[in-house]
């Protein structure tokens, strides 16, 4: 069995414009949108917004900042100044640490909209949202790990959320999903009718510190026979951080105060098609060798962390996380770049990292272990052929 908070803390970590079609702001679309505020609060066309981002220098944050700046908005960052402090030297930065209750730099400040990409503990979200409640909109980045039944296919944004089994315990690594659910509630309580909640699944692309998707472009680039998980048609979902950032900005510009599942791609995607898209985009000589979920379990190969992106769709705990319903977000403007582009750009990002960092991947299957497993599969096939 896989843990109930599969995406983990690193699951949350730039600017493809979203189309202007789709449902109007505040409308209800079936599927992944739930609830609505008391009407749109979209800024007048062409008027820049004063945007505060809580965080902004990790993975998703920089993509959002770049998108907002490119669109002409006035962006301010609030963070500790410890993660990638070299980023955005031209932008105003407020220093503080809400984990320590240090919000003094925000006192007396007013912003049109607030973006929270770094909230994990409900008390922290409540404090910042309350202090910034004069804003017209608060966008909180949550996670599909907030759902109670992650083994259910087709989860919509109104599906039941996880309940915290130990109220008051703020151990984020242990209770990531339930805490995210409570953070959503804290934001809405502080700014009723003015919150937007976005629940992404696996966020991927340039800048990803987890290596969970990055494993595949790096592995495919080496070529040869590649061990692939499950069955080719097993569903997988992911979203390029740049597409997610563009959708977040669109929600703010249109004043869309709803809850969305933000997962991609636009159509159902099997793990086989995902990997074949990578092979084609990278132009590599690689062939896929699929190993069943039973084989991988027998040989203690971990879904998600070793066979990355994929989880067995039949897993009763998390099998639904490759089949989440994002129809509401897509109706309201979420758009996706070609998957091949994400493969190419992620590999380019990886190749620019320091050699010491590339020498120690944080996810994926070690090369020697993959060779061992491929040999076991070949021996299994030979035995089956001899018995036939």
């Amino acid at each position: 069995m896989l843990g109930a908070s599969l995406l983990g803390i690193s699951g949350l970590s730039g600017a493809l414009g979203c189309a202007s079609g789709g449902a109007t702001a505040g409308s209800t679309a079936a599927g992944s949108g739930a609830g609505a505020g008391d009407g749109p609060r979209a800024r007048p066309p062409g008027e820049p917004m004063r945007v505060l981002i809580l965080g902004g220098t990790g993975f998703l944050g920089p993509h959002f900042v770049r998108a907002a700046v490119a669109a002409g908005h006035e962006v301010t960052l609030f963070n500790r100044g410890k993660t990638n402090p070299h980023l955005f030297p031209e932008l105003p930065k407020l220093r503080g640490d809400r984990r320590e209750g240090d919000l003094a730099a925000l006192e007396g400040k007013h912003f049109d909209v607030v973006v929270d990409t770094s909230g994990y503990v409900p008390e922290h979200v409540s404090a910042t949202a309350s202090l910034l409640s004069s804003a017209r909109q608060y966008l909180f980045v949550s996670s599909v790990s907030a759902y109670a039944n992650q083994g259910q296919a087709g989860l919509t944004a109104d599906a039941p959320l996880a309940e915290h089994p130990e109220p008051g315990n703020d151990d984020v690594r242990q209770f990531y999903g339930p805490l995210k659910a409570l953070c959503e509630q804290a934001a809405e309580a502080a700014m009723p009718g003015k919150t937007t909640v976005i629940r992404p699944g696996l966020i991927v692309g340039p800048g990803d510190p987890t290596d969970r998707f990055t494993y595949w472009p790096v592995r495919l680039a080496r070529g040869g026979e590649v061990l692939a998980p499950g069955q080719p048609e097993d569903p997988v979902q992911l979203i390029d951080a740049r597409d997610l950032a563009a959708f977040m900005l669109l929600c703010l510009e249109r004043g869309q105060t709803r809850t969305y599942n933000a997962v991609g791609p636009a159509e159902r995607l099997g793990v086989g098609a995902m990997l074949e898209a990578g092979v084609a985009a990278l132009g590599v000589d690689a062939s896929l060798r699929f190993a069943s979920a039973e084989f991988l379990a027998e040989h203690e190969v971990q879904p998600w962390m070793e066979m990355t992106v994929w989880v067995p769709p039949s897993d009763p705990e998390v099998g639904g996380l490759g089949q989440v319903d994002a129809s509401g977000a897509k109706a309201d403007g979420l758009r996706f770049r070609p998957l091949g582009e994400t493969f190419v750009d992620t590999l380019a990002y990886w190749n620019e990292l320091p050699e010491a960092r590339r020498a120690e991947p944080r996810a994926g299957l070690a090369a020697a272990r993959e060779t061992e497993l491929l040999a076991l599969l070949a021996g299994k096939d030979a035995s089956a052929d001899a018995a036939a």
Side-chain angles (χ1 to χ4, degrees):
M1 297 291 184
L2 298 174
S5 292
L6 178 67
L7 293 182
I9 187 170
S10 57
L12 290 191
S13 53
L16 176 66
C18 292
S20 60
T24 57
S27 65
T28 299
S32 67
D38 53 0
R41 297 177 181 79
R43 89 234 190 275
E47 179 180 306
M49 299 183 297
R50 291 170 295 175
V51 181
L52 175 70
I53 182 167
L54 304 173
T57 57
F59 172 29
L60 174 59
H63 291 299
F64 175 82
V65 171
R66 295 183 189 107
V69 170
H73 301 299
E74 302 170 7
V75 180
T76 299
L77 289 76
F78 172 82
N79 56 47
R80 298 175 300 160
K82 294 183 178 180
T83 300
N84 298 319
H86 62 284
L87 290 179
F88 312 119
E90 73 283 8
L91 297 180
K93 299 181 178 66
L94 303 174
R95 296 302 186 207
D97 187 348
R98 58 180 171 171
R99 296 183 302 182
E100 301 296 331
D102 179 10
L103 302 178
L106 297 176
E107 293 177 0
K109 302 292 193 302
H110 173 74
F111 301 91
D112 297 316
V113 297
V114 179
V115 176
D116 190 345
T117 62
S118 60
Y120 302 102
V121 176
E123 288 77 11
H124 303 163
V125 173
S126 179
T128 49
S130 297
L131 187 59
L132 299 164
S133 61
S134 64
R136 66 168 179 253
Q137 192 170 352
Y138 192 101
L139 187 149
F140 179 73
V141 179
S142 184
S143 168
V144 295
S145 285
Y147 288 114
N149 186 3
Q150 297 167 32
Q152 176 184 331
L155 286 167
T156 59
D158 57 359
L161 298 181
E163 295 185 4
H164 201 314
E166 298 181 19
N169 187 332
D170 293 338
D171 185 335
V172 176
R173 294 192 178 276
Q174 185 177 1
F175 300 114
Y176 175 78
L179 286 171
K180 276 292 187 182
L182 289 173
C183 285
E184 295 179 13
Q185 297 164 23
E188 176 62 24
M191 296 181 64
K194 299 198 294 182
T195 61
T196 301
V197 173
I198 296 184
R199 297 178 186 142
L202 180 62
I203 307 173
V204 305
D208 179 8
T210 72
D211 300 347
R212 285 179 298 192
F213 171 78
T214 307
Y215 169 75
W216 289 116
V218 172
R219 175 60 192 92
L220 293 176
R222 296 207 310 266
E225 189 175 38
V226 177
L227 185 68
Q231 302 298 322
E233 64 272 16
D234 286 352
V236 293
Q237 290 182 314
L238 45 81
I239 186 168
D240 192 299
R242 296 166 292 184
D243 297 337
L244 177 56
F247 180 61
M248 292 162 55
L249 182 60
L250 188 69
C251 288
L252 295 169
E253 291 177 336
R254 291 181 176 177
Q256 294 172 176
T257 51
R258 296 179 56 198
T259 296
Y260 295 101
N261 290 330
V263 295
E267 305 296 336
R268 180 184 172 94
L269 178 69
V271 65
M274 180 193 78
L275 296 176
E276 291 290 0
V279 171
L282 298 173
V284 295
D285 184 11
S287 61
L288 304 178
R289 178 66 167 91
F290 283 86
S292 70
E294 294 75 18
F295 175 89
L296 295 174
E298 178 186 354
H299 293 283
E300 299 182 340
V301 179
Q302 294 182 333
W304 197 255
M305 289 307 297
E306 289 183 307
M307 287 282 93
T308 63
V309 182
W310 170 85
V311 294
S314 61
D315 187 284
E317 289 189 6
V318 293
L321 293 185
Q323 307 170 74
V324 175
D325 185 340
S327 58
K330 288 184 282 188
D332 278 4
L334 176 60
R335 299 292 181 265
F336 308 97
R337 69 193 61 225
L339 183 56
E341 182 178 330
T342 301
F343 269 96
V344 170
D345 292 349
T346 302
L347 182 62
Y349 156 75
W350 175 261
N351 287 335
E352 292 175 356
L353 291 175
E355 183 177 351
R357 167 70 174 84
R358 288 185 283 116
E360 296 185 1
R362 296 168 180 168
L365 198 61
R369 178 68 167 142
E370 182 193 31
T371 299
E372 174 189 349
L373 292 166
L374 288 169
L376 288 171
L377 281 171
K380 184 177 179 180
D381 289 346
S383 297
D385 289 343

